């Protein structure tokens, strides 16, 4: 089998990470066609192993002949072009929010709900969940299986890279500016023009995405409906507060989980300790808990979900609290998409390709 893979959004934070993962992966990829906006057409990205074409503008790109198309260019681009890619025969793995809430589109985290990937979807599109949802469900799914979740209260601390390359560069330049100006006024005005609505450097911004009529932000709504869909638990209560923090990469989450059954912290610990690709931190070890920096600085485990501060509550024996950190560009986007592709190959969705090759 030799797969021709197209990466839409190839110049972005997720697209670049995905191309480097593909280059190192065991997937039998024979060539990569990178796609972006007309602004980037003709630029050349570098890979070590797999041949890669110059970047094509999406308007003029034909998906015919590509076997898999990874979309990481925002919801508008996915709405407009992913159905065309699927109609042209590609399996689309979409990183945007465009299709996640649609009943006939699988929303997949292969470690948690691989059953949604048993059959190739009729519409030819699989949705990758939101980055903060992926690390949340990978952290709580083992506990749900063991003790039955009834409620989650989650506060997220989301890094600038969640806002793409522009978010990263904006945090860097605003930080430099703020340090130069300190303690005087900062140059970047809080005028809503920046990537995060307000200046992020040395700040916290408690709104990610547009507010609805109830005052919930888009990121908080995604955490709710995506977690329910992935865990197949429509009555799960989820209270989310999503906060953007002045950190370059890796999202963190403070999670309070309530269960049907009484849960001893030691029992929760044993369940989490047995979970796949989940790293547990002991309070008497070093580091005693994961942080965005410790996770970022340990690239060999940046595909793991990192969990610390596991504790019960003597006043509520059905409750466990956790601190979950993960690399949002890897766990929350590129790696999850790659694992969906691997599962599709394992499940024979691309066998026609084998026949053709
Ligand atoms: N960042 C994360 O942690 C994360 C996690 C999960 C999911 N996602 C999702 O992944 C997607 C990409 O995020 P990102 O962080 O990688 O963003 P990014 O760094 O801003 O990159 C955006 C990419 O989309 C391309 N693009 C923008 N407008 C386009 C258009 N009209 N036509 C074709 N290509 C266009 C850009 O190409 P040019 O360079 O040519 O403009 C660039 O390659 C988004 O849907 C985001 O919600 C992101």
């Amino acid at each position: 089998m030799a797969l021709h893979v197209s990466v839409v959004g190839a110049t972005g934070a997720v697209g670049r990470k995905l191309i480097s993962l593909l280059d190192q992966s065991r997937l039998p990829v024979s060539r990569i066609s990178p796609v972006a906006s007309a602004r980037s057409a003709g630029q050349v990205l570098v890979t070590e192993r797999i041949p890669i074409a110059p970047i094509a503008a999406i308007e003029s790109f034909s998906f015919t002949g590509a076997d898999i198309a990874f979309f990481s260019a925002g919801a508008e681009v996915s709405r407009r072009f992913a159905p065309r890619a699927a109609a042209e025969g590609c399996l689309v793995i979409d990183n945007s929010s465009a299709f996640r809430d649609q009943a006939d589109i699988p929303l997949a985290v292969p470690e948690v709900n691989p059953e949604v990937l048993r059959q190739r979807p009729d519409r030819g599109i699989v949705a990758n969940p939101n980055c903060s949802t992926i690390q949340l469900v990978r952290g709580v799914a083992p506990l749900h299986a063991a003790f039955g979740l009834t409620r989650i209260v989650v506060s997220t601390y989301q890094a600038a890279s969640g806002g793409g390359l522009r978010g990263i560069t904006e945090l860097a330049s605003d930080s430099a500016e703020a340090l130069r100006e300190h303690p005087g006024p900062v140059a970047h005005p809080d005028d809503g023009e920046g990537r995060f609505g307000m200046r992020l450097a040395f700040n916290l911004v408690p709104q990610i995405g547009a507010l609805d009529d109830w005052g919930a932000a888009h990121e908080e709504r995604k955490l709710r409906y995506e977690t329910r869909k992935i865990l197949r638990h429509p009555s799960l209560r989820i209270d989310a507060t999503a906060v953007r923090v002045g950190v370059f990469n890796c999202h963190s989450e403070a999670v309070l989980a309530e269960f049907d059954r009484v849960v001893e912290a030691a029992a929760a610990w044993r369940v989490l300790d047995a979970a796949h690709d989940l790293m547990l931190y002991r309070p008497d070890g070093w580091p005693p808990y994961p942080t965005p920096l410790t996770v970022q600085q340990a690239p060999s485990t940046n595909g793991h979900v990192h969990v610390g501060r596991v504790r019960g509550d003597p006043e509520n024996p059905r409750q466990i609290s956790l601190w979950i950190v993960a690399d949002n560009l890897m766990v929350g986007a590129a790696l999850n998409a790659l694992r969906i592709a691997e599962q599709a190959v394992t499940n024979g969705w691309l066998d026609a390709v084998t026949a053709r090759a």
Side-chain angles (χ1 to χ4, degrees):
M1 186 190 296
L3 298 171
H4 173 199
V5 168
S6 144
V7 176
V8 178
T11 52
V14 174
R16 285 172 190 270
K17 183 68 80 178
L18 185 58
I19 288 171
S20 105
L21 273 184
L22 284 167
D23 206 23
Q24 300 154 24
S25 89
R26 289 185 314 247
L27 268 187
V29 178
S30 60
R31 65 193 161 111
I32 299 174
S33 294
V35 181
S37 76
R39 293 179 289 273
S40 308
Q43 287 178 23
V44 177
L45 299 169
V46 178
T47 49
E48 283 184 13
R49 197 174 60 83
I50 303 174
I52 186 164
I55 295 172
I58 194 157
E59 278 81 6
S60 55
F61 183 76
S62 165
F63 290 91
T64 310
D67 305 298
I68 302 178
F70 293 96
F71 271 70
S72 306
E76 262 182 59
V77 171
S78 291
R79 268 186 219 105
R80 197 162 150 219
F81 295 100
R84 168 155 82 69
E88 288 175 3
C90 272
L91 169 66
V92 172
I93 300 175
D94 183 37
N95 261 308
S96 82
S97 60
F99 306 102
R100 292 177 189 152
D101 59 349
Q102 298 182 14
D104 55 352
I105 299 283
L107 184 64
V109 180
E111 296 84 351
V112 176
N113 63 345
E115 68 280 0
V116 301
L117 296 173
R118 247 178 241 133
Q119 286 184 340
R120 185 171 174 140
D122 291 343
R123 288 175 65 189
I125 302 174
V126 178
N128 214 45
N130 180 38
C131 40
S132 40
T133 307
I134 294 176
Q135 70 185 69
L136 176 67
V137 296
R138 279 186 53 188
V140 301
L143 297 172
H144 177 48
F147 311 114
L149 269 171
T150 56
R151 181 179 185 218
I152 291 173
V153 182
V154 53
S155 297
T156 71
Y157 303 76
Q158 297 185 218
S161 61
L165 284 184
R166 202 180 129 206
I168 298 170
T169 51
E170 189 173 302
L171 176 61
S173 56
D174 282 356
S175 298
E177 191 71 45
L179 287 172
R180 262 199 304 277
E181 300 275 333
H182 187 77
V186 292
H188 183 110
D190 281 343
D191 57 4
E193 287 300 308
R195 186 70 186 87
F196 303 112
M198 298 182 84
R199 206 194 63 154
L200 186 61
F202 306 101
N203 203 6
L204 305 172
V205 181
Q207 180 183 347
I208 305 180
L211 300 183
D212 66 8
D213 292 345
W214 293 91
H218 190 211
E219 192 76 3
E220 294 154 359
R221 298 195 295 281
K222 287 189 273 185
L223 270 162
R224 179 176 293 174
Y225 72 72
E226 292 181 17
T227 303
R228 287 176 176 163
K229 182 171 173 177
I230 295 162
L231 296 180
R232 292 179 189 258
H233 193 340
S235 63
L236 178 64
R237 289 179 57 203
I238 303 180
D239 304 294
T241 303
V243 182
R244 187 74 71 187
V245 298
V247 159
F248 283 109
N249 192 37
C250 298
H251 291 350
S252 307
E253 297 177 344
V255 180
L256 181 158
E258 280 183 7
F259 300 91
D260 269 334
R261 274 159 263 162
V262 167
V263 186
E264 303 258 332
W269 181 277
R270 280 193 297 277
V271 166
L272 291 168
D273 205 21
H276 183 62
D277 280 357
L278 190 148
M279 224 169 128
L280 261 185
Y281 291 66
R282 293 190 168 279
D284 55 358
W286 188 260
Y289 33 72
T291 70
L293 264 190
T294 61
V295 171
Q296 179 70 21
Q297 286 166 352
S300 62
T301 54
N302 68 357
H304 288 56
V305 168
H306 298 254
V307 178
R309 302 286 326 276
V310 179
R311 61 203 189 275
D313 180 350
E315 294 175 9
N316 181 355
R318 294 172 196 275
Q319 175 180 311
I320 291 290
S321 295
L322 318 162
W323 171 249
I324 305 177
V325 182
D327 182 334
N328 47 292
L329 295 176
M330 275 288 288
V331 168
L335 182 63
N336 198 71
L338 182 78
R339 286 189 172 160
I340 292 171
E342 288 171 346
Q343 196 73 53
V345 170
T346 304
N347 292 353
W349 295 7
L350 298 155
D351 282 353
V353 178
T354 322
R356 207 176 59 209

